[in-house]
Amino acid sequence: MDDLKRLKSLAAEIADIQAAIALLGWDQQTYMPSGGAEDRGDALSTLSNLVHQKITSPEMGQLLEDLRSQQDEMDPDSNDARLIKVTRRDYEKRVKVSSEWVKEFAKATTMAHSAWEEARKKSDFSIFQSHLENIVRLRRDYSSFFAPYDHVYDPQLDDFEPGMKTAEVQAIFTQVRPVQVSLIKRITAQTAVDDSFMRAHYDEKAQRDFGVEVISRFGYDWNHGRQDKSAHPFTQGFGIGDVRITTRVEPNRMATALFGTMHEAGHALYELGVDPSLRRTPMASGASMALHESQSRMWENLVGRSLAFWKFFYPRFQGVFHSQVEKVSLATFYRGINKVQPSYIRVEADEATYNLHIMLRLELEIALLEGSLAVKDLPQAWNQRMREYLGVIPPNDALGVLQDVHWSEGLFGYFPTYALGNLVSVQLWEVIQKDLPNLDKQMALGEFGELLSWLRQHVHRFGAKFEPQELVQKITGSKINPQPYLRYLQVKYGEIYHL
Ligand code: ZN
């Protein structure tokens, strides 16, 4: 068998095992009885080791070496050349990290996670402190496997945003911070918007059915997906022909299921739109976390929180939830679902405040890794930034530094992808609006076909073939640029709050 064929066949085997891992993980969070946790953990760990062995095998190393000269002769943007590139990247990253580190990290994060749960419950950071110190040390060691680097944070970021540098992210956020801080100050000086209708009691099944109607109109194909319940909503693909979503319904918080469903459908549409020629390769997924989030945020916010969208859906919404919103006008509803209110909790943050929650975390992560901030001083540094950026100080650590699971799982480099996703969503949106001048009219008729086709053609079909900055540049003519998002925020909230 020639080298390229062998590489493709190995890639397919790896993709198949990863699909099995994904299915076990999906089941764990949806239907598995709690008693199955231990067995499931063992099965998942065995399969993950198998994937690791296959990717880092001497055969793989030799194949990638032998393919170098062939690769040089290929069109660098061809699927074959990209398959070699993406596989080599994964191979090189994995072989650099020692297996002792992997073991120690797995153990440390397992312990840290339960310590974090207890610390959050008791709102006592000291329970988590030594565990986090350990994790920060391990994350620094992780970076050292990739030395030399420009910044100690680069190897962390690269795991989620291939090819992106800390300096690039910092340059972006430096532009975003002052604009959003000032916008929020002006908004909070205005009278608060009435959103009390959002906390009325909404029937669970009716909420789910409404979400199903919305995402069916978006183009989510139920022959290639399904929706189940889970404690934390997520999207999981098992190849590109079966990408499922989950949702959580809260009777007194109708935004949770409604916007959460649109969000997850955005993730699913991305993976369902990957070109079939990338099936069973490491490219059959999104380009990066930020690109993935750009898709979920687009459907959730740019579509789902727009006035055009609700021109079509609001009469239907009022029909279903008559008693809750019969006296609420479309204008009031629109203002309510777009209410800006600085709050302690990231996952509940609105479009105008969300990025600031992320910036705070990014700055603290970087300071911890650089060693300019000690873990013991983290709660204080957190609260100080909350006051500076959002004008609120959490009353306790459970509502502050202990709110997110990420650090307890050793996830460093992940947070910025949320904010980058917001920025990319609007950067793409500006191009879409030029290409589809009737988009607002279409949305007001409940039609999203042209939008989805555009996304498939320009974003989805490429899967992970290109690095995130490369893809954004290809589509918009520049790398990730925060200006479209800042323009969008100022126009939208300028109107809503009469600024
Ligand atoms: Zn998401």
Side-chain angles (χ1 to χ4, degrees), residues 322-344:
H322 188 73
S323 65
Q324 294 88 340
V325 290
E326 71 175 314
K327 294 200 180 85
V328 179
S329 70
L330 174 59
T332 305
F333 182 82
Y334 172 70
R335 284 161 63 89
I337 59 169
N338 284 296
K339 181 178 183 173
V340 175
Q341 176 140 49
S343 64
Y344 310 126

mmCIF file of all heavy atoms in Angstrom, residues 322-344:
data_model
loop_
_atom_site.group_PDB
_atom_site.id
_atom_site.type_symbol
_atom_site.label_atom_id
_atom_site.label_comp_id
_atom_site.label_asym_id
_atom_site.label_seq_id
_atom_site.Cartn_x
_atom_site.Cartn_y
_atom_site.Cartn_z
ATOM 1 N N HIS A 322 -49.358 32.204 25.529
ATOM 2 C CA HIS A 322 -50.324 33.285 25.556
ATOM 3 C C HIS A 322 -50.354 34.007 26.907
ATOM 4 O O HIS A 322 -50.211 35.223 26.981
ATOM 5 C CB HIS A 322 -51.707 32.712 25.217
ATOM 6 C CG HIS A 322 -52.736 33.769 25.037
ATOM 7 N ND1 HIS A 322 -52.753 34.578 23.919
ATOM 8 C CD2 HIS A 322 -53.748 34.168 25.836
ATOM 9 C CE1 HIS A 322 -53.751 35.427 24.050
ATOM 10 N NE2 HIS A 322 -54.368 35.205 25.195
ATOM 11 N N SER A 323 -50.502 33.238 27.983
ATOM 12 C CA SER A 323 -50.680 33.890 29.283
ATOM 13 C C SER A 323 -49.419 34.641 29.727
ATOM 14 O O SER A 323 -49.502 35.643 30.438
ATOM 15 C CB SER A 323 -51.078 32.850 30.340
ATOM 16 O OG SER A 323 -50.011 31.940 30.528
ATOM 17 N N GLN A 324 -48.255 34.189 29.280
ATOM 18 C CA GLN A 324 -47.010 34.822 29.740
ATOM 19 C C GLN A 324 -46.724 36.143 29.020
ATOM 20 O O GLN A 324 -46.169 37.058 29.614
ATOM 21 C CB GLN A 324 -45.805 33.897 29.530
ATOM 22 C CG GLN A 324 -45.808 32.629 30.370
ATOM 23 C CD GLN A 324 -46.547 31.471 29.689
ATOM 24 O OE1 GLN A 324 -47.361 31.676 28.785
ATOM 25 N NE2 GLN A 324 -46.273 30.265 30.138
ATOM 26 N N VAL A 325 -47.057 36.210 27.726
ATOM 27 C CA VAL A 325 -46.623 37.389 26.966
ATOM 28 C C VAL A 325 -47.733 38.085 26.164
ATOM 29 O O VAL A 325 -47.439 38.900 25.293
ATOM 30 C CB VAL A 325 -45.447 37.050 25.990
ATOM 31 C CG1 VAL A 325 -44.175 36.756 26.755
ATOM 32 C CG2 VAL A 325 -45.795 35.901 25.059
ATOM 33 N N GLU A 326 -48.993 37.788 26.471
ATOM 34 C CA GLU A 326 -50.045 38.405 25.646
ATOM 35 C C GLU A 326 -49.998 39.937 25.728
ATOM 36 O O GLU A 326 -50.290 40.627 24.766
ATOM 37 C CB GLU A 326 -51.431 37.868 26.021
ATOM 38 C CG GLU A 326 -51.928 38.354 27.379
ATOM 39 C CD GLU A 326 -53.349 37.900 27.684
ATOM 40 O OE1 GLU A 326 -54.213 38.028 26.784
ATOM 41 O OE2 GLU A 326 -53.593 37.441 28.814
ATOM 42 N N LYS A 327 -49.575 40.478 26.883
ATOM 43 C CA LYS A 327 -49.560 41.933 27.024
ATOM 44 C C LYS A 327 -48.189 42.529 26.731
ATOM 45 O O LYS A 327 -47.961 43.733 26.894
ATOM 46 C CB LYS A 327 -49.991 42.321 28.435
ATOM 47 C CG LYS A 327 -51.445 41.949 28.712
ATOM 48 C CD LYS A 327 -52.003 42.738 29.891
ATOM 49 C CE LYS A 327 -53.442 42.357 30.167
ATOM 50 N NZ LYS A 327 -53.557 41.155 31.046
ATOM 51 N N VAL A 328 -47.238 41.689 26.338
ATOM 52 C CA VAL A 328 -45.878 42.167 26.056
ATOM 53 C C VAL A 328 -45.750 42.449 24.559
ATOM 54 O O VAL A 328 -45.935 41.555 23.738
ATOM 55 C CB VAL A 328 -44.830 41.098 26.487
ATOM 56 C CG1 VAL A 328 -43.416 41.564 26.170
ATOM 57 C CG2 VAL A 328 -44.977 40.774 27.965
ATOM 58 N N SER A 329 -45.440 43.700 24.223
ATOM 59 C CA SER A 329 -45.306 44.040 22.796
ATOM 60 C C SER A 329 -44.013 43.458 22.233
ATOM 61 O O SER A 329 -43.106 43.108 22.994
ATOM 62 C CB SER A 329 -45.283 45.560 22.623
ATOM 63 O OG SER A 329 -44.068 46.067 23.146
ATOM 64 N N LEU A 330 -43.933 43.390 20.917
ATOM 65 C CA LEU A 330 -42.706 42.896 20.281
ATOM 66 C C LEU A 330 -41.509 43.743 20.701
ATOM 67 O O LEU A 330 -40.436 43.223 20.993
ATOM 68 C CB LEU A 330 -42.864 42.900 18.748
ATOM 69 C CG LEU A 330 -41.611 42.555 17.937
ATOM 70 C CD1 LEU A 330 -41.072 41.172 18.292
ATOM 71 C CD2 LEU A 330 -41.907 42.613 16.431
ATOM 72 N N ALA A 331 -41.710 45.070 20.770
ATOM 73 C CA ALA A 331 -40.604 45.962 21.147
ATOM 74 C C ALA A 331 -40.116 45.661 22.560
ATOM 75 O O ALA A 331 -38.901 45.611 22.819
ATOM 76 C CB ALA A 331 -41.051 47.419 21.032
ATOM 77 N N THR A 332 -41.052 45.448 23.478
ATOM 78 C CA THR A 332 -40.665 45.139 24.859
ATOM 79 C C THR A 332 -39.974 43.786 24.947
ATOM 80 O O THR A 332 -38.982 43.611 25.664
ATOM 81 C CB THR A 332 -41.907 45.132 25.780
ATOM 82 O OG1 THR A 332 -42.564 46.387 25.624
ATOM 83 C CG2 THR A 332 -41.549 44.919 27.223
ATOM 84 N N PHE A 333 -40.512 42.834 24.192
ATOM 85 C CA PHE A 333 -39.917 41.499 24.165
ATOM 86 C C PHE A 333 -38.473 41.580 23.662
ATOM 87 O O PHE A 333 -37.557 41.023 24.267
ATOM 88 C CB PHE A 333 -40.750 40.589 23.255
ATOM 89 C CG PHE A 333 -40.245 39.172 23.189
ATOM 90 C CD1 PHE A 333 -40.569 38.255 24.181
ATOM 91 C CD2 PHE A 333 -39.443 38.752 22.134
ATOM 92 C CE1 PHE A 333 -40.098 36.941 24.122
ATOM 93 C CE2 PHE A 333 -38.958 37.444 22.072
ATOM 94 C CZ PHE A 333 -39.297 36.537 23.058
ATOM 95 N N TYR A 334 -38.287 42.311 22.570
ATOM 96 C CA TYR A 334 -36.959 42.442 21.960
ATOM 97 C C TYR A 334 -35.970 43.091 22.942
ATOM 98 O O TYR A 334 -34.841 42.631 23.102
ATOM 99 C CB TYR A 334 -37.074 43.270 20.673
ATOM 100 C CG TYR A 334 -35.749 43.639 20.050
ATOM 101 C CD1 TYR A 334 -34.949 42.662 19.460
ATOM 102 C CD2 TYR A 334 -35.300 44.962 20.038
ATOM 103 C CE1 TYR A 334 -33.726 42.994 18.885
ATOM 104 C CE2 TYR A 334 -34.082 45.296 19.464
ATOM 105 C CZ TYR A 334 -33.296 44.312 18.889
ATOM 106 O OH TYR A 334 -32.094 44.638 18.323
ATOM 107 N N ARG A 335 -36.428 44.119 23.621
ATOM 108 C CA ARG A 335 -35.556 44.760 24.608
ATOM 109 C C ARG A 335 -35.262 43.815 25.772
ATOM 110 O O ARG A 335 -34.150 43.765 26.284
ATOM 111 C CB ARG A 335 -36.195 46.046 25.135
ATOM 112 C CG ARG A 335 -36.112 47.223 24.146
ATOM 113 C CD ARG A 335 -37.133 48.312 24.487
ATOM 114 N NE ARG A 335 -36.891 48.926 25.796
ATOM 115 C CZ ARG A 335 -36.104 49.983 26.004
ATOM 116 N NH1 ARG A 335 -35.485 50.527 24.976
ATOM 117 N NH2 ARG A 335 -35.942 50.480 27.200
ATOM 118 N N GLY A 336 -36.277 43.058 26.161
ATOM 119 C CA GLY A 336 -36.114 42.122 27.286
ATOM 120 C C GLY A 336 -35.075 41.043 27.001
ATOM 121 O O GLY A 336 -34.203 40.774 27.829
ATOM 122 N N ILE A 337 -35.150 40.448 25.798
ATOM 123 C CA ILE A 337 -34.188 39.370 25.501
ATOM 124 C C ILE A 337 -32.791 39.926 25.226
ATOM 125 O O ILE A 337 -31.835 39.165 25.126
ATOM 126 C CB ILE A 337 -34.636 38.477 24.304
ATOM 127 C CG1 ILE A 337 -34.816 39.317 23.031
ATOM 128 C CG2 ILE A 337 -35.911 37.710 24.635
ATOM 129 C CD1 ILE A 337 -34.995 38.483 21.773
ATOM 130 N N ASN A 338 -32.686 41.239 25.107
ATOM 131 C CA ASN A 338 -31.378 41.868 24.884
ATOM 132 C C ASN A 338 -30.938 42.732 26.057
ATOM 133 O O ASN A 338 -30.058 43.589 25.910
ATOM 134 C CB ASN A 338 -31.405 42.697 23.604
ATOM 135 C CG ASN A 338 -31.339 41.825 22.365
ATOM 136 O OD1 ASN A 338 -30.350 41.146 22.128
ATOM 137 N ND2 ASN A 338 -32.417 41.799 21.597
ATOM 138 N N LYS A 339 -31.530 42.484 27.195
ATOM 139 C CA LYS A 339 -31.199 43.307 28.359
ATOM 140 C C LYS A 339 -29.722 43.184 28.740
ATOM 141 O O LYS A 339 -29.157 42.100 28.743
ATOM 142 C CB LYS A 339 -32.046 42.847 29.551
ATOM 143 C CG LYS A 339 -31.808 43.646 30.806
ATOM 144 C CD LYS A 339 -32.713 43.173 31.922
ATOM 145 C CE LYS A 339 -32.500 44.045 33.151
ATOM 146 N NZ LYS A 339 -33.462 43.738 34.211
ATOM 147 N N VAL A 340 -29.117 44.325 29.045
ATOM 148 C CA VAL A 340 -27.727 44.332 29.503
ATOM 149 C C VAL A 340 -27.699 44.583 31.001
ATOM 150 O O VAL A 340 -28.277 45.561 31.483
ATOM 151 C CB VAL A 340 -26.909 45.437 28.791
ATOM 152 C CG1 VAL A 340 -25.496 45.516 29.370
ATOM 153 C CG2 VAL A 340 -26.850 45.173 27.296
ATOM 154 N N GLN A 341 -27.072 43.666 31.704
ATOM 155 C CA GLN A 341 -26.963 43.843 33.150
ATOM 156 C C GLN A 341 -25.681 43.185 33.645
ATOM 157 O O GLN A 341 -25.566 41.954 33.612
ATOM 158 C CB GLN A 341 -28.167 43.192 33.830
ATOM 159 C CG GLN A 341 -28.055 43.247 35.335
ATOM 160 C CD GLN A 341 -29.382 43.541 35.971
ATOM 161 O OE1 GLN A 341 -30.375 42.892 35.647
ATOM 162 N NE2 GLN A 341 -29.407 44.510 36.845
ATOM 163 N N PRO A 342 -24.707 43.980 34.077
ATOM 164 C CA PRO A 342 -23.486 43.376 34.607
ATOM 165 C C PRO A 342 -23.830 42.408 35.736
ATOM 166 O O PRO A 342 -24.640 42.746 36.613
ATOM 167 C CB PRO A 342 -22.704 44.575 35.150
ATOM 168 C CG PRO A 342 -23.215 45.741 34.369
ATOM 169 C CD PRO A 342 -24.670 45.445 34.142
ATOM 170 N N SER A 343 -23.277 41.208 35.658
ATOM 171 C CA SER A 343 -23.581 40.211 36.679
ATOM 172 C C SER A 343 -22.309 39.460 37.032
ATOM 173 O O SER A 343 -21.286 39.622 36.392
ATOM 174 C CB SER A 343 -24.624 39.233 36.149
ATOM 175 O OG SER A 343 -24.068 38.525 35.042
ATOM 176 N N TYR A 344 -22.398 38.628 38.073
ATOM 177 C CA TYR A 344 -21.211 37.910 38.541
ATOM 178 C C TYR A 344 -20.870 36.731 37.644
ATOM 179 O O TYR A 344 -19.716 36.340 37.536
ATOM 180 C CB TYR A 344 -21.444 37.377 39.960
ATOM 181 C CG TYR A 344 -21.957 38.411 40.933
ATOM 182 C CD1 TYR A 344 -23.116 38.204 41.674
ATOM 183 C CD2 TYR A 344 -21.244 39.605 41.109
ATOM 184 C CE1 TYR A 344 -23.575 39.153 42.554
ATOM 185 C CE2 TYR A 344 -21.707 40.562 41.990
ATOM 186 C CZ TYR A 344 -22.877 40.337 42.721
ATOM 187 O OH TYR A 344 -23.329 41.264 43.594
#
